[in-house]
């Protein structure tokens, strides 16, 4: 099973700042099958990125994904108030699919 | 509009059973693999079970250990999760989610979730 480790656990930033979230896999993720989700308090997760770098429908272009192999990054170029939330990565290239433990982006 | 609506959650005693349902609309349900994902309060996401579009293939997380059964009724666009021998550690919000990506499974649509509480 691939273990995904997300860092940092919590990121404290101000609106307008840039956020960089990391997801590291215990072994290479097949075909960069890596997705990112946003979960706001009291809501279901929402798909942001799939295939490591493809934005899902309706996702603003301030969200971008990059990486391959074992190291992946989600970048939010300029934080909006609604972006303060928990972010999860998920790999779906190797069975069983697995999720990371999450990174909380909080208002500083 | 793609929509998933779960129901069937509630309070159940340890050792009891519950059947969750997920009504789907806005997409071709019969060709879409579907998954149940759960989340304990304050915790991360955990895939419970996945079923192929035609229902012929299923996958379960190790922690299920024969206690849960995922199924679907494509004539009614509905996904199910039969949960037996429930334990306190099964307490969580259960989400149904649609798999995007064809044969791969990232989740491009989620329901609002249904809360399952296992307690005496």
């Amino acid at each position: 099973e691939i273990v995904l480790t997300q860092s940092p656990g919590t990121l404290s930033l101000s609106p307008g700042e840039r956020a960089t979230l990391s997801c590291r896999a215990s072994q290479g993720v097949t075909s960069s099958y890596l997705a990112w989700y946003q979960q706001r308090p009291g809501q279901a997760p929402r798909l942001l990125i799939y295939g490591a770098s493809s934005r899902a429908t309706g996702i603003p272009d301030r969200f971008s994904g990059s990486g391959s192999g074992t190291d992946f990054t989600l970048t939010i170029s300029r934080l909006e108030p609604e972006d303060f939330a928990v972010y999860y990565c998920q790999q779906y290239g190797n069975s069983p699919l697995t999720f990371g433990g999450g990174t909380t982006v909080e208002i500083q | 509009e793609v929509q998933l609506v779960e129901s069937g959650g509630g309070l159940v005693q340890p050792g009891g059973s519950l059947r969750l349902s997920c009504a789907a609309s806005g997409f071709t349900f019969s060709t879409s693999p579907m998954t149940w994902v759960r989340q304990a309060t304050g915790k991360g996401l955990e895939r419970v079970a996945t079923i192929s579009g035609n229902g012929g293939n299923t996958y379960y997380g190790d922690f299920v250990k024969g206690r849960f059964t995922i199924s679907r009724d494509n004539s009614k666009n509905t996904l199910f999760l039969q949960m037996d021998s429930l334990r306190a550690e099964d307490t969580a919000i259960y989400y149904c989610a649609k798999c995007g990506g064809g044969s791969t499974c990232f989740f491009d649509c989620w329901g609002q979730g249904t809360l399952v509480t296992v307690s005496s």
Side-chain angles (χ1 to χ4, degrees):
Chain A
E1 172 175 319
I2 292 181
V3 176
L4 299 178
T5 301
Q6 292 189 239
S7 62
T10 301
L11 199 51
S12 298
L13 295 168
S14 300
E17 290 194 293
R18 181 185 186 91
T20 303
L21 288 67
S22 172
C23 176
R24 179 161 293 177
S26 59
Q27 56 187 278
V29 175
T30 301
S31 303
S32 295
Y33 285 158
L34 193 287
W36 290 94
Y37 302 87
Q38 177 193 68
Q39 187 175 33
R40 295 169 177 152
Q43 296 186 17
R46 175 175 72 143
L47 177 68
L48 299 175
I49 301 286
Y50 63 95
S53 60
S54 297
R55 267 189 304 276
T57 303
I59 301 303
D61 61 7
R62 64 179 181 273
F63 291 92
S64 63
S66 63
S68 63
T70 60
D71 289 296
F72 298 87
T73 301
L74 175 70
T75 302
I76 311 171
S77 59
R78 296 171 309 279
L79 284 164
E80 298 287 342
E82 62 268 26
D83 298 337
F84 291 92
V86 181
Y87 293 82
Y88 294 96
C89 59
Q90 176 228 339
Q91 68 80 23
Y92 53 98
N94 302 72
S95 183
L97 67 84
T98 49
F99 291 94
T103 290
T104 299
V105 178
E106 66 175 22
I107 299 177
Q108 187 171 45
Chain B
E1 177 194 7
V2 176
Q3 194 169 20
L4 300 171
V5 179
E6 301 95 335
S7 60
L11 174 64
V12 61
Q13 292 188 336
S17 298
L18 273 180
R19 189 191 197 203
L20 306 183
S21 299
C22 173
S25 60
F27 64 100
T28 307
F29 182 73
S30 61
T31 62
S32 296
M34 297 292 294
T35 294
W36 289 97
V37 177
R38 72 182 185 182
Q39 185 174 37
T41 301
K43 302 297 184 182
L45 302 168
E46 183 174 45
R47 192 261 292 265
V48 176
T50 296
I51 187 168
S52 60
N54 64 9
N57 293 292
T58 57
Y59 175 85
Y60 296 93
D62 288 343
F63 59 89
V64 168
K65 295 181 180 176
R67 300 182 298 126
F68 296 177
T69 303
I70 189 171
S71 62
R72 63 193 299 160
D73 184 341
N74 286 345
S75 69
K76 296 182 178 178
N77 287 357
T78 304
L79 176 71
F80 302 101
L81 184 68
Q82 177 67 41
M83 302 188 295
D84 299 318
S85 302
L86 283 161
R87 307 166 180 167
E89 55 265 36
D90 296 318
T91 295
I93 295 174
Y94 285 73
Y95 297 100
C96 72
K98 171 181 168 291
C99 291
S103 60
T104 59
C105 201
F106 57 87
F107 306 111
D108 60 0
C109 183
W110 298 66
Q112 85 288 351
T114 188
L115 177 62
V116 172
T117 303
V118 184
S119 175
S120 56

